[in-house]
Amino acid sequence: MSLISLALYIFEALAGAAALGILLVRNVFHAALLLIVCLISLAGVFVIYNAEFIAVTQILVYAGGVLVLIVFGIMLSSRIAGKPLVVTNQYVLPASLAGILSAGILIKLFSEQPFAQQPGALPGNPMNQTGIALMRDYVLPFEIAGILLLIALIGAAVTASSFYSKKQ
Amino acid sequence: MEHTLILSSILFAAGLMTVIVKRNAIMVLIGIELMLNAANLNLVFFNRNNPALSGHFFALFVIVVAVCEAAVGLAIVLRVYKYYQTSIPDQLTELKD
Amino acid sequence: MQNLLSYLIFTPFAAALIGLLIPAEAKKTFRIATLIVSAIQFIILIAIIGNTTPQLGSFQLMEKYNWFSIDLGNWGILKAEYFLGIDGLGFSMIALSVLVMLIASISSWTIDKNVKGYFILLWILNGAIIGTFCALDFLLFYLFFEFMLLPMYFLIGIWGGPRREYASIKFLLYTLLGSILILIVLIALVISVQAPESGDTVVHTFNLLHMSDSANFIFGSILSPDDAWLIGSHTARWWAFLLLFVGFVIKLPAVPLHTWLPDAHVEAPTPISVILAALLLKVGAYGLLRIAYPIFPDAAVELSSVVAFIGVLSIIYAALNALAAKDLKRLIAYSSVSHMGFVLLGLASLTVEGVAGAVYQMFSHGLISAMLFLIAGVLYDRTHDRLINNYSGLASRMPMFFVFVLIAFFASLGLPGFSGFIAELMVLLGALASGSTNELISEGFAFAAAFGLILGAAYYLWTLQRMFFGPFHVKNEIRTELLTDLDKREFGMLISLALVILIFGIFPHVLLDYINPFAQNFADTITESIRLIQNP
Amino acid sequence: MGLYYTMPELILAGGIILIVLIGFFLRNKTTNLHGLLTLAIFTASVGYAIFAWSFYKTPMMLFGNMIRTDQFSAYFRILADVAAGLTVLMALRNKSLAEKFNSEFYTFLTGAVLGSHLLMMSTNLVMVFISLELLSISSYILAGYSFNKKGAEGSLKYFLFGSAASAIMLYGFSILFGITGTLEFTSENFTNNLSVNQSMLVVVAAIMAFAGFLYKIAAAPMHVWSPDVYEGSPMPVIAFLSVVPKLAGIVVLTKMAMAFAVTTVPFDWQLVLAIIAMLSIGIGNLSALWQNNAKRMMAYSSIAQSGFLLIGVVCLTPQSMQAFLFYSALYLAANYVVFISLQAFEKNSINSIPSFGGAGRSFLFLSIVLLGGLISLSGIPPTGGFTSKLFVFASLWASYEQTGKSILLWLLLFGLLNTVISLFYYLKIPYYAFLKTPESSLLPENTSFENFLAFLLVVGVLFFFIRPDFLMGWLNTINFVL
């Protein structure tokens, strides 16, 4: 077992454990921390699969952006400080059934599926290629993503601003 | 290499269960992030030998979208919290048949 | 003079449009306008009589314009036409419509609530009814057929009696159920039929005349007579006829689908009752004659015993109900159901006499039922009470009214000299003849129907005895001073109806000249197409 | 080169930025300028699409096979712009929308329209995902625009259901990518690889992928969000949500189903979609019967209408696609008639169905116009709704005759039966308006603009009953490359 595949196993185990942990913990803040663990482990997995750019984005955007947002959300929406935000579970039986079934079916089908053998290998310098292709083949989604971000930012501001308004 | 797909299945199932089980909007959001990451893992994994890097680009855009969703979603959660003093969807009962 | 039928249909529609512009306060204007509309229609009717020959074996005054024609790729072209025309059946129906509409318009003068809305709806209804009787394109027919629905719903629902909401909803639901059944067949037909002029691309047409010709069915399509699709143990054509039959019989109505009718009649205002009984019921019968029978003659013959049975069942069951009715209007409503049973019986016999009798019955029942409902309305207008047991000895108090009641009741129970007698006699003869000629229905049905006539005599005479004979007496807070005799308007309406009924009772050939060629043609075509279907 | 073909989208994108900038300079001013500007943007977009109609005759792959322009999508882009323009007209007459974040409202509206345009043209899963999200995220924000308790709740439910559905959809996309190795789902590479590697996994992935679209069109069983969202949102937003995302979702669903139909995947798509259509029609109609709130009733009505729209996809024949195009236009018109009138009634604080009692007397014209819209939605003559249902059913029957699949016959009968059931609730409002007496008398507010607008649409609806060939003849010339 090479060092790289050992690292892959460790990252994957960490990510899986963190995901299951989110399911089990009852404190939302703990869940958010576990999500960080899961996301960072996944970033490690991405690096091993030669997707360095995705990994960097994953850490910067998710850990830096989404999680800060979530933690903000937890802090702003929990009752008076000091009490942790604890959630109870509902529909435990049907949900576990759905979860186990979907995982089981997916794993079984994945193991039977011969995935298309894609010819060729990744380009030597993926980061460079990524930059070029982003401005060439993917220029349309790239532009749309820009508009999407603009709309989401204004939208979040509009939606949350009424939080501070005195009316209603 | 199958273990990566097993992980993605587990992430997806855990996300789905979180969405159904947890009675808090923020927890549901976390579950959705898990599902998005399961898809991302798939996309990167399936792109191992693809010189076109389409899976990588898809994953990149998924991350961007996830950020937008999280920002808008949390803003909505905050607003709901202001009116109801709770972020538990089941306790919102203004709209009923 | 080519577009007479269009003028007839669109005069009331145009009036409705103009009526929108008249302010709602001008009640008198509306009352006069409705007379003008009827007068114009009357003049057009006279022009139609002048421009047609009585031997209407085939269609006359045809108007045909392309409505739309849509190219749907390899499926073919979907073509609908604005296609009008009348034969003996259509002529007698539009004549009846114009007459009854005139009476209903005069009768509507008593309406005092929201006059503008009332008359606009009435005009829409008027145009739609005449349109139904003229349309020779199935889609156009269906359009007019549906167009009658909502005005009627609102006319009962807004201007009706105390339980008007229940009655109007019940009317709407029954009729809608019927029109959905018809719609199913309409779609199946337009898929199965091609116009004879279609060359390489199939032209799917709504033309009723093309649909009535078995040669126009696309081979292998669902309703094609040569390659039968089986649904259950019957052909698709059998089912299609059954759907059409049920759809139209709801409107007719026949037992057991008649239950909406007594409620609707009891709640509807007098003029609407008149239109409902005299015209709307005829639309159901007309649909059977114009659509169900000519298009599916094979299935019609197969089911003729069922049709006859339902006809006789309606005659007897509704007569028994009428015997038990306490409300005068309910009694008349059940008598309508009973008399419409004769139309079914005559139709089921498929003999020339039977069919002609059925059409004559449609015409004569239109006039008689209009008169009966006017009579019920006269009483209701005065006392707001229609319970039979609350009156007795009215003959001495309202002698002129009593005379018209006598005429109407005797006409309805089929006394010789009135038009109802001719119609019912012909139907019975046709039903009897069927046993010896085409052997479609047994003579038993004719005897049972005759028994129904006796029941009819019984409930009318009993009602006369209870309400009009004996010493004058009213119950339940009915103020006797309200019971005045007929005024001029009522007298005018009743006398004209009575005269028309008498004329058509004494000189039946006036109308039979129009009806007989139609009936002959109808019976011949059906026999011929059955022969063609069986040995192509 | 590609820019000529995507000029409407460029106009919209530029418009978004323009509205944001103008909104920035006119902060805190109540003005109609934003609305009128947005209207101009949509008009320009429609105008260009009509002007350049012949451009779209031959399908063009653009932007590295990301999108394809053709007349099929161009038609729906025009419909989306028209719907959005009508929404702007409604919003201009809505006082509560003018009070708060007025310019932002139009930003999100334009964003949603841009998303729907791109979604309809997408041929690449990346584009499908990102434009769907642009549409969805804009809609989530719009749904909360009434800025009250109900609005916030509806918006949250919409958001939670929507993001979960799009995450599931994305997972399906990722599996499809794994199996085929390409994201261009209309390419031969994609369909060939699916046929070669067929297994249950393809079926599971496709079901997951379809879930997102079914959610967008509010088809059963992904419909639960819609009544809550409708009840909490402002009227212009509901009108928009009930038309544009629905049409965009079905258009892209059609393209996906087309891609799957040419493969040999061992799965009966017609059966599944037919059952979904039946479920939507049935659940929508039966639930609508019990509603006492006009908005909730219309929510269930639009669930049922998705079922009818889906019939076009179920058959996937050129004839059924034409019926679908026709149905969409008439659905749009009738739906806007209803919502414009409902907004006018809402202004006079008539919200619940019993409060319509006697409205026929105080608002005669508006009530008649509303009746016209409702009749067209239910599909009885003399409205274009009847003609469109007739086309849909006829195409269903034709395809039943062709394939002999009994599920199609059941769908047909079920749809016809439901046409009757739907009349119960569609006629509920007119029933109260015309047959009941008013509960209380209030001073009517001026509704002349709404009267005029709804009247124009009703005239259109009636016109297409009398001359359906005007529209259908034009639809005939559309080249169906899916």
Side-chain angles (χ1 to χ4, degrees):
Chain A
M1 189 187 287
S2 68
L3 201 60
I4 287 185
S5 52
L6 183 68
L8 182 60
Y9 281 127
I10 291 172
F11 280 133
E12 287 186 350
L14 259 175
L20 293 176
I22 289 173
L23 208 51
L24 295 175
V25 296
R26 307 184 75 181
N27 186 322
V28 180
F29 188 67
H30 295 169
L33 293 182
L34 280 171
L35 185 61
I36 297 188
V37 175
C38 181
L39 296 181
I40 292 180
S41 323
L42 280 180
V45 176
F46 291 164
V47 171
I48 293 167
Y49 283 127
N50 293 328
E52 294 90 350
F53 190 62
I54 312 291
V56 172
T57 321
Q58 172 97 350
I59 291 173
L60 282 180
V61 175
Y62 260 123
V66 175
L67 274 158
V68 169
L69 271 174
I70 289 181
V71 171
F72 257 106
I74 295 168
M75 282 156 61
L76 285 171
S77 71
S78 59
R79 284 163 212 255
I80 321 300
K83 278 188 197 162
L85 186 59
V86 172
V87 291
T88 47
N89 294 343
Q90 57 171 2
Y91 312 123
V92 176
L93 203 67
S96 344
L97 210 67
I100 292 166
L101 257 179
S102 61
I105 289 174
L106 282 173
I107 291 171
K108 182 171 165 10
L109 292 176
F110 274 137
S111 62
E112 289 169 354
Q113 178 73 30
F115 285 102
Q117 278 306 312
Q118 291 151 344
L122 287 186
N125 187 353
M127 198 74 96
N128 187 13
Q129 292 293 315
T130 309
I132 292 170
L134 199 55
M135 295 316 291
R136 200 186 55 218
D137 299 336
Y138 288 85
V139 62
L140 185 61
F142 185 74
E143 299 294 333
I144 302 304
I147 293 177
L148 180 60
L149 278 167
L150 175 70
I151 289 206
L153 284 180
I154 302 175
V158 164
T159 311
S161 74
S162 72
F163 180 63
Y164 301 104
S165 76
K166 288 284 179 285
K167 270 192 198 169
Q168 269 255 319
Chain B
M1 295 294 218
E2 292 300 337
H3 48 91
T4 309
L5 289 178
I6 294 174
L7 173 65
S8 113
S9 314
I10 290 174
L11 284 182
F12 180 76
L16 191 63
M17 273 176 79
T18 313
V19 168
I20 303 172
V21 156
K22 299 293 181 183
R23 300 186 58 211
N24 182 300
I26 295 179
M27 281 303 276
V28 174
L29 201 61
I30 291 176
I32 291 167
E33 299 297 339
L34 275 183
M35 296 206 294
L36 290 177
N37 270 286
N40 260 0
L41 186 60
N42 268 356
L43 289 170
V44 170
F45 172 75
F46 288 133
N47 201 80
R48 279 159 318 192
N49 304 317
N50 189 344
L53 289 177
S54 31
H56 287 189
F57 283 109
F58 203 161
L60 201 60
F61 288 116
V62 171
I63 292 176
V64 174
V65 166
V67 174
C68 299
E69 263 188 3
V72 172
L74 283 162
I76 295 173
V77 170
L78 291 189
R79 207 161 96 224
V80 167
Y81 183 76
K82 180 202 147 202
Y83 294 120
Y84 291 85
Q85 303 302 312
T86 179
S87 47
I88 300 171
D90 288 6
Q91 291 180 0
L92 316 180
T93 50
E94 197 81 356
L95 302 169
K96 264 270 147 68
D97 278 316
Chain C
M1 283 294 136
Q2 215 13 262
N3 297 330
L4 283 172
L5 294 178
S6 288
Y7 296 148
L8 196 64
I9 295 170
F10 285 101
T11 306
F13 282 135
L17 268 185
I18 296 167
L20 281 175
L21 305 174
I22 303 174
E25 294 77 38
K27 291 181 181 177
K28 205 155 191 184
T29 319
F30 279 103
R31 285 174 190 158
I32 293 170
T34 192
L35 279 190
I36 296 174
V37 170
S38 283
I40 296 174
Q41 284 189 313
F42 217 91
I43 295 166
I44 299 173
L45 181 66
I46 291 168
I48 288 176
I49 296 173
N51 277 282
T52 47
T53 46
Q55 284 68 37
L56 288 174
S58 59
F59 287 94
Q60 300 195 10
L61 288 179
M62 303 234 264
E63 293 172 35
K64 197 179 204 176
Y65 301 101
N66 207 2
W67 179 2
F68 61 82
S69 159
I70 297 166
D71 192 348
L72 291 173
N74 54 8
W75 186 69
I77 293 167
L78 183 68
K79 187 175 173 192
E81 284 159 328
Y82 176 79
F83 186 21
L84 304 177
I86 49 169
D87 55 0
L89 172 66
F91 172 77
S92 34
M93 286 303 110
I94 57 170
L96 176 69
S97 309
V98 171
L99 274 175
V100 170
M101 274 298 170
L102 175 66
I103 301 292
S105 302
I106 301 171
S107 169
S108 300
W109 281 38
T110 51
I111 299 287
D112 207 37
K113 179 176 142 195
N114 199 349
V115 173
K116 178 175 178 178
Y118 177 88
F119 279 107
I120 288 175
L121 288 175
L122 188 71
W123 288 327
I124 295 175
L125 186 64
N126 183 346
I129 289 172
I130 294 175
T132 315
F133 289 139
C134 297
L136 290 182
D137 183 279
F138 203 163
L139 192 66
L140 192 65
F141 174 88
Y142 191 75
L143 160 69
F144 285 126
F145 189 79
E146 290 285 313
F147 227 117
M148 296 187 296
L149 190 68
L150 281 177
M152 203 64 195
Y153 168 69
F154 286 122
L155 284 169
I156 298 175
I158 299 179
W159 288 272
R163 286 169 72 240
R164 56 179 182 259
E165 287 167 14
Y166 168 76
S168 59
I169 289 277
K170 200 169 174 184
F171 163 77
L172 187 76
L173 294 185
Y174 270 86
T175 321
L176 270 180
L177 178 70
S179 43
I180 287 297
L181 299 179
I182 297 166
L183 179 64
I184 295 176
V185 182
L186 170 71
I187 293 177
L189 272 172
V190 81
I191 286 164
S192 303
V193 175
Q194 60 175 341
E197 69 262 24
S198 48
D200 291 339
T201 46
V202 179
V203 179
H204 293 271
T205 172
F206 290 97
N207 189 321
L208 278 175
L209 304 185
H210 292 335
M211 285 178 173
S212 310
D213 186 349
S214 59
N216 287 332
F217 283 85
I218 299 167
F219 185 80
S221 63
I222 182 148
L223 293 178
S224 153
D226 10 62
D227 179 35
W229 281 47
L230 287 178
I231 300 174
S233 53
H234 291 282
T235 59
R237 285 174 71 82
W238 189 88
W239 285 106
F241 176 78
L242 198 67
L243 289 181
L244 276 184
F245 180 70
V246 174
F248 286 124
V249 146
I250 288 175
K251 202 98 178 174
L252 188 70
V255 178
L257 295 168
H258 66 289
T259 54
W260 62 270
L261 182 85
D263 288 309
H265 270 313
V266 168
E267 300 307 325
T270 306
I272 302 308
S273 277
V274 168
I275 295 173
L276 191 60
L279 300 179
L280 252 65
L281 307 193
K282 308 302 172 292
V283 173
Y286 178 85
L288 288 176
L289 279 157
R290 175 72 75 231
I291 296 172
Y293 270 72
I295 298 182
F296 303 110
D298 44 341
V301 166
E302 208 177 317
L303 279 165
S304 55
S305 291
V306 177
V307 177
F309 175 74
I310 288 178
V312 171
L313 183 70
S314 302
I315 295 172
I316 292 179
Y317 179 83
L320 289 174
N321 264 304
L323 264 178
K326 294 192 177 69
D327 181 318
L328 183 60
K329 230 175 169 183
R330 191 169 277 269
L331 180 140
I332 299 171
Y334 275 116
S335 95
S336 273
V337 179
S338 181
H339 286 104
M340 290 309 283
F342 280 94
V343 176
L344 280 185
L345 183 63
L347 198 50
S349 75
L350 277 180
T351 53
V352 179
E353 301 92 331
V355 174
V359 179
Y360 207 84
Q361 171 77 339
M362 285 160 70
F363 185 82
S364 116
H365 176 257
L367 297 171
I368 296 171
S369 63
M371 194 166 170
L372 287 168
F373 279 108
L374 281 180
I375 281 167
V378 166
L379 206 58
Y380 186 73
D381 281 347
R382 284 168 174 64
T383 61
H384 291 276
D385 192 315
R386 285 182 309 242
L387 290 186
I388 297 169
N389 285 336
N390 285 351
Y391 300 91
S392 98
L394 283 179
S396 58
R397 183 87 192 182
M398 303 166 76
M400 215 185 327
F401 179 58
F402 174 61
V403 169
F404 284 111
V405 172
L406 269 186
I407 294 175
F409 279 15
F410 283 148
S412 186
L413 64 80
L415 204 70
F418 297 103
S419 59
F421 170 74
I422 313 282
E424 280 159 20
L425 185 71
M426 284 171 72
V427 167
L428 289 179
L429 285 177
L432 277 176
S434 167
S436 51
T437 53
N438 55 16
E439 294 173 351
L440 284 176
I441 56 174
S442 75
E443 284 97 340
F445 286 122
F447 294 126
F451 174 66
L453 279 181
I454 298 172
L455 284 179
Y459 60 77
Y460 277 126
L461 294 176
W462 192 35
T463 309
L464 275 181
Q465 196 252 323
R466 281 183 291 174
M467 287 184 81
F468 291 90
F469 299 141
F472 174 70
H473 171 67
V474 286
K475 281 185 207 160
N476 274 4
E477 294 152 22
I478 298 172
R479 309 216 316 270
T480 41
E481 66 270 23
L482 290 176
L483 287 168
T484 50
D485 214 342
L486 302 177
D487 61 24
K488 276 181 199 153
R489 191 178 54 89
E490 290 161 346
F491 180 79
M493 290 191 292
L494 289 171
I495 188 87
S496 45
L497 272 176
L499 281 178
V500 176
I501 292 171
L502 273 170
I503 290 172
F504 285 108
I506 299 167
F507 308 107
H509 62 85
V510 175
L511 191 63
L512 281 178
D513 279 352
Y514 286 89
I515 293 176
N516 269 336
F518 162 78
Q520 187 70 50
N521 202 1
F522 184 83
D524 289 350
T525 329
I526 289 199
T527 328
E528 173 66 11
S529 41
I530 290 169
R531 196 187 59 73
L532 270 178
I533 288 168
Q534 277 156 3
N535 335 292
Chain D
M1 179 63 191
L3 294 184
Y4 288 115
Y5 290 88
T6 55
M7 189 60 93
E9 288 70 36
L10 271 184
I11 294 172
L12 290 176
I16 291 176
I17 294 161
L18 197 62
I19 299 166
V20 169
L21 285 178
I22 290 184
F24 184 71
F25 288 118
L26 293 178
R27 225 13 325 135
N28 301 326
K29 272 189 195 147
T30 318
T31 164
N32 281 341
L33 183 69
H34 312 304
L36 294 174
L37 177 68
T38 319
L39 199 58
I41 290 165
F42 290 136
T43 317
S45 166
V46 171
Y48 187 84
I50 292 172
F51 161 73
W53 183 250
S54 53
F55 277 21
Y56 299 123
K57 188 88 197 167
T58 39
M60 285 286 290
M61 301 294 288
L62 298 170
F63 293 105
N65 299 345
M66 281 288 154
I67 55 173
R68 187 183 58 204
T69 55
D70 50 34
Q71 287 184 334
F72 181 67
S73 61
Y75 174 76
F76 280 105
R77 282 148 73 198
I78 293 174
L79 284 193
D81 289 342
V82 170
L86 289 169
T87 310
V88 174
L89 289 176
M90 280 174 79
L92 284 173
R93 296 283 295 173
N94 193 315
K95 276 194 193 121
S96 66
L97 280 183
E99 277 168 9
K100 266 189 175 179
F101 302 115
N102 188 252
S103 72
E104 284 82 356
F105 176 82
Y106 296 109
T107 315
F108 304 135
L109 186 66
T110 320
V113 176
L114 177 62
S116 69
H117 272 216
L118 291 165
L119 186 57
M120 288 162 179
M121 298 191 293
S122 311
T123 53
N124 189 302
L125 293 177
V126 175
M127 267 323 281
V128 171
F129 181 71
I130 200 156
S131 44
L132 187 75
E133 285 299 322
L134 179 57
L135 175 57
S136 302
I137 289 178
S138 309
S139 315
Y140 303 149
I141 305 165
L142 286 174
Y145 239 84
S146 50
F147 293 111
N148 58 20
K149 223 174 163 179
K150 285 184 174 181
E153 182 184 340
S155 174
L156 180 68
K157 286 183 177 167
Y158 193 20
F159 168 75
L160 290 180
F161 278 113
S163 333
S166 62
I168 293 172
M169 180 188 79
L170 179 69
Y171 199 78
F173 283 177
S174 73
I175 297 173
L176 289 178
F177 171 64
I179 294 170
T180 61
T182 174
L183 289 170
E184 290 158 28
F185 66 90
T186 50
S187 67
E188 274 184 26
N189 212 349
F190 184 86
T191 48
N192 287 347
N193 275 329
L194 276 188
S195 300
V196 172
N197 297 303
Q198 52 179 272
S199 72
M200 274 309 285
L201 187 63
V202 179
V203 176
V204 171
I207 289 176
M208 284 178 155
F210 281 14
F213 306 128
L214 292 181
Y215 160 82
K216 267 281 97 154
I217 65 176
M222 309 286 285
H223 67 282
V224 278
W225 57 273
S226 103
D228 286 352
V229 173
Y230 278 44
E231 193 183 339
S233 308
M235 206 63 89
V237 176
I238 309 176
F240 181 78
L241 289 185
S242 65
V243 173
V244 175
K246 209 165 273 237
L247 294 184
I250 296 183
V251 168
V252 71
L253 187 68
T254 311
K255 287 186 175 178
M256 290 280 261
M258 208 67 178
F260 277 98
V262 297
T263 64
T264 53
V265 176
F267 195 63
D268 197 346
W269 295 108
Q270 276 189 321
L271 184 74
V272 173
L273 284 175
I275 289 173
I276 287 172
M278 276 160 91
L279 271 180
S280 309
I281 296 172
I283 291 177
N285 277 337
L286 289 181
S287 318
L289 288 176
W290 317 116
Q291 300 308 319
N292 262 329
N293 179 304
K295 282 177 169 176
R296 280 190 93 83
M297 191 197 85
M298 284 311 292
Y300 284 111
S301 138
S302 79
I303 294 169
Q305 296 286 345
S306 328
F308 284 109
L309 286 164
L310 269 178
I311 292 178
V313 192
V314 170
C315 303
L316 271 188
T317 57
Q319 192 202 347
S320 80
M321 291 324 295
Q322 276 171 5
F324 165 51
L325 295 172
F326 191 85
Y327 196 103
S328 311
L330 269 299
Y331 169 66
L332 186 156
N335 219 33
Y336 268 90
V337 169
V338 173
F339 281 115
I340 289 169
S341 338
L342 285 184
Q343 174 167 306
F345 279 119
E346 194 183 41
K347 242 193 243 174
N348 293 289
S349 45
I350 295 174
N351 290 311
S352 69
I353 293 179
S355 69
F356 275 89
R361 217 153 302 156
S362 10
F363 304 96
L364 178 65
F365 189 77
L366 200 57
S367 305
I368 291 175
V369 167
L370 175 63
L371 175 69
L374 289 170
I375 288 181
S376 182
L377 282 181
S378 70
I380 51 176
T383 56
F386 168 76
T387 325
S388 58
K389 278 219 169 63
L390 186 72
F391 285 140
V392 165
F393 287 141
S395 74
L396 193 55
W397 192 305
S399 114
Y400 164 67
E401 273 197 332
Q402 246 166 39
T403 60
K405 279 189 181 174
S406 58
I407 183 75
L408 299 179
L409 185 64
W410 287 117
L411 179 57
L412 173 70
L413 293 177
F414 194 75
L416 281 168
L417 177 74
N418 271 278
T419 306
V420 183
I421 295 178
S422 70
L423 263 169
F424 281 88
Y425 64 86
Y426 281 130
L427 287 183
K428 218 166 160 184
I429 290 180
Y431 168 76
Y432 274 94
F434 291 111
L435 304 192
K436 294 272 186 182
T437 42
E439 285 178 335
S440 62
S441 58
L442 23 85
L443 282 176
E445 272 208 38
N446 179 22
T447 59
S448 50
F449 181 73
E450 280 89 346
N451 285 0
F452 175 69
L453 196 58
F455 175 71
L456 275 189
L457 287 171
V458 160
V459 168
V461 166
L462 294 178
F463 177 76
F464 284 123
F465 171 76
I466 297 165
R467 297 311 300 258
D469 44 342
F470 270 54
L471 182 56
M472 213 52 180
W474 185 47
L475 297 182
N476 270 332
T477 60
I478 289 183
N479 202 0
F480 289 96
V481 189
L482 294 165

